[in-house]
Amino acid sequence: MLQLNDVHVYYGGIYAIKGISFAVPKGKIVSLIGANGAGKSTILRSIVGLVQPRSGSITFQGENLQGKRTDRIVKSGITMVPEGRRIFPNLTVKENLRLGAFPRDNDGAMAEDLNWVYELFPRLKEREWQKGGTLSGGEQQMLAVGRALMSRPSLLMMDEPSLGLAPKLVQEIFEIIKQIHKQGVTILLIEQNALAALRICDYGYVLETGSIIMHGTGQELLQHQGVRRAYLGIAE
Amino acid sequence: MNLQMFLQNLANGVSLGTLYALIACGYTMVYGILRLINFAHGEIFMLGAYFIYYNILLFALPWWLAFLIAVGATGLVGVAVDWIAYKPLRDAPRISALISAIGVSFFVQNLGLVVFGGRPKPFPVPAFFSQMVNVGGVRIMSLTFFIPILAIVLFLILSFLIYRTKPGLAMRAISKDIETARLMAVDINKTIAFTFAIGSILAAAGGAMWAMRYPQINPMMGTMPGLKAFIAAVLGGIGSIPGAMLGGLLIGLLEIMFVAFLPALSGYRDALSFIVLILILLVRPSGFLGEKGEEKV
Ligand SMILES: Nc1ncnc2c1ncn2[C@@H]1O[C@H](COP(=O)(O)OP(=O)(O)OP(=O)(O)O)[C@@H](O)[C@H]1O
Ligand SMILES: [Mg+2]
């Protein structure tokens, strides 16, 4: 569904992504794990066109995304939950969700999707008229995920959805990810919480300073000595 | 000063203030979305007045049609200014767009001098607006009442657009976080064009009423009202629409009352708004309704 081929990204003189290739097959959950600054967010940002790779190709459903405008890419079915939630603080919960439905330009289906999101996150329904900026961190994360779902993406990319959440909420978010996946959404998941990410994913990639150093099924990576030591904090 | 005179001044102040408020909305909306002071806004105001003038004199249109067409045309000019002068500089440092705005302002003024001529032109005020009405013994021109009424109607329409429509939602989103708005597939350039159109339409409506108040027009007429409306926007908290309305009203009222109560100092009326601005910014650096912590001009 999504395919990256030898992608290189620079920020000015900083060489952030050093030739990365990977694929996200339709209907799967793929995880990208790695330490701070490894380049995880940069990869997602280049997929949606917020940064332009210097070379390499990114294709989605057979179509080249190179040089396409972000709004076009999002409209073609890729939605991203950005790092740090990025809720619009001046808009109500409902307005944030309405904005999430912009990519589809289909006001008719809005009500239906709103119900879907409110079923997944009943808390958002209760807070429909509250300003985004006054939500708690956990509620903001739910809103960020809900807002992304409003576009009915075929590929949902999440940049550290569990960041800063209490363990119970982390669990809840991962449950939701599973539910979304069951409804047929393909997922590309970035996580610092490597254990949870590898447990849930079909396939995982380990990123280190801009290169993929290892990949395998979630199970394989969970068993791997190096991964266990470096990313799961398990010493043997 | 007796009560009658006071009431007359009050009506004048409110009417001048709502005019400033109309123009101030354009500054504040463009700033909210682009962090740009659109110095050409006063010239847009001036063009609005000239468009009406020519619609009436050259094409002999009925006044209401002349107004509508001119206001619409001014909206298009606003969009064109963005397109030609600001859009190519979107990714450039902010100061470039600011300099471009000053350039547009000078250019349009001088173009006005060449095309319209430098001599002030008497503005044809429709009889509808120039009748004198008697309110409790106070004789006031009907225009003085129509200005605030029309302004209120325009403010209501503006609020509807911003708080109840899709482009309005997009505007509010962009003003907070342009990158995330992009991720929501908001068409940034279309929304910016929408913002310039609305701001310019309000300025043209303001220009029309200004022209009827005086009633004459010249290519430099945009400078002072533009500057004062800008001050009003900063005073109210730039980026905030209710702030722009409040600031405009305050500047207009102060200006008229200052002249009324201290006629000897009336030569300083234009300096007054600057002094008020400085005093208020000393106490509230982000204006009345501005958000704290946001960067200021
Ligand atoms: N706008 C930018 N300008 C310059 N350098 C940048 C920029 N954004 C990211 N970088 C650099 O690129 C590298 C990769 O950053 P990125 O945000 O992709 O890392 P990450 O894996 O998402 O890290 P984290 O887990 O901390 O979010 C880092 O060294 C970072 O400093
Ligand atoms: Mg990151």
Side-chain angles (χ1 to χ4, degrees), chain B residues 69-135:
Chain B
I69 292 178
V71 165
T74 314
L76 292 182
V77 172
V79 174
V81 166
D82 168 52
W83 218 72
I84 296 167
Y86 308 144
K87 194 173 165 215
L89 299 172
R90 282 284 199 258
D91 297 323
R94 225 170 272 161
I95 189 82
S96 313
L98 202 67
I99 291 166
S100 185
I102 295 171
V104 173
S105 167
F106 277 118
F107 175 76
V108 175
Q109 259 181 29
N110 286 290
L111 192 72
L113 283 175
V114 173
V115 177
F116 307 141
R119 227 163 356 122
K121 293 190 187 329
F123 192 82
V125 182
F128 182 69
F129 290 110
S130 57
Q131 318 156 22
M132 299 303 279
V133 280
N134 206 318
V135 188

Side-chain angles (χ1 to χ4, degrees), chain A residues 45 48 50 69-71 74-75 79-80 82 86 88-91 95 98-100 102-103 105 107 147, chain B residues 163-167 169-170 172-189 291:
Chain A
R45 294 164 58 78
V48 290
L50 288 177
R69 256 170 41 190
T70 299
D71 56 316
V74 173
K75 278 184 174 160
T79 300
M80 168 163 145
R86 306 287 281 266
F88 294 101
N90 55 333
L91 305 183
E95 284 172 335
R98 178 153 170 54
L99 206 59
F102 262 42
D105 258 339
D107 293 341
R147 182 177 65 182
Chain B
Y163 293 103
R164 290 279 177 278
T165 66
K166 267 179 92 163
L169 183 55
R172 285 182 291 147
I174 293 179
S175 75
K176 274 293 176 236
D177 185 346
I178 192 163
E179 190 176 277
T180 307
R182 271 207 183 95
L183 280 178
M184 308 288 127
V186 169
D187 187 333
I188 307 289
N189 283 325
E291 280 165 42

Side-chain angles (χ1 to χ4, degrees), chain B residues 240-281:
Chain B
S240 154
I241 288 174
M245 296 178 187
L246 189 69
L249 202 59
L250 190 82
I251 293 279
L253 269 171
L254 273 178
E255 190 177 323
I256 297 285
M257 291 302 174
F258 177 75
V259 177
F261 281 97
L262 302 166
L265 295 178
S266 66
Y268 294 101
R269 68 185 282 174
D270 288 337
L272 175 72
S273 28
F274 292 93
I275 295 166
V276 172
L277 177 73
I278 291 167
L279 290 181
I280 290 189
L281 289 190

Side-chain angles (χ1 to χ4, degrees), chain A residues 11 14 16 34-43 83 159-160 192:
Chain A
Y11 287 111
I14 300 170
N36 289 115
K40 307 179 296 294
S41 303
T42 303
I43 291 178
E83 185 169 21
D159 196 341
E160 306 202 26
Q192 293 269 348

Side-chain angles (χ1 to χ4, degrees), chain A residues 22-33:
Chain A
F22 70 90
V24 183
K26 194 171 162 57
K28 303 285 187 213
I29 301 182
V30 172
S31 282
L32 217 54
I33 62 172

Side-chain angles (χ1 to χ4, degrees), chain B residues 10-20 143-145 147-148 213 249:
Chain B
L10 186 68
N12 265 332
V14 169
S15 126
L16 181 65
T18 44
L19 271 182
Y20 287 149
L143 181 68
T144 311
F145 289 106
I147 289 177
R213 248 178 92 97
L249 202 59

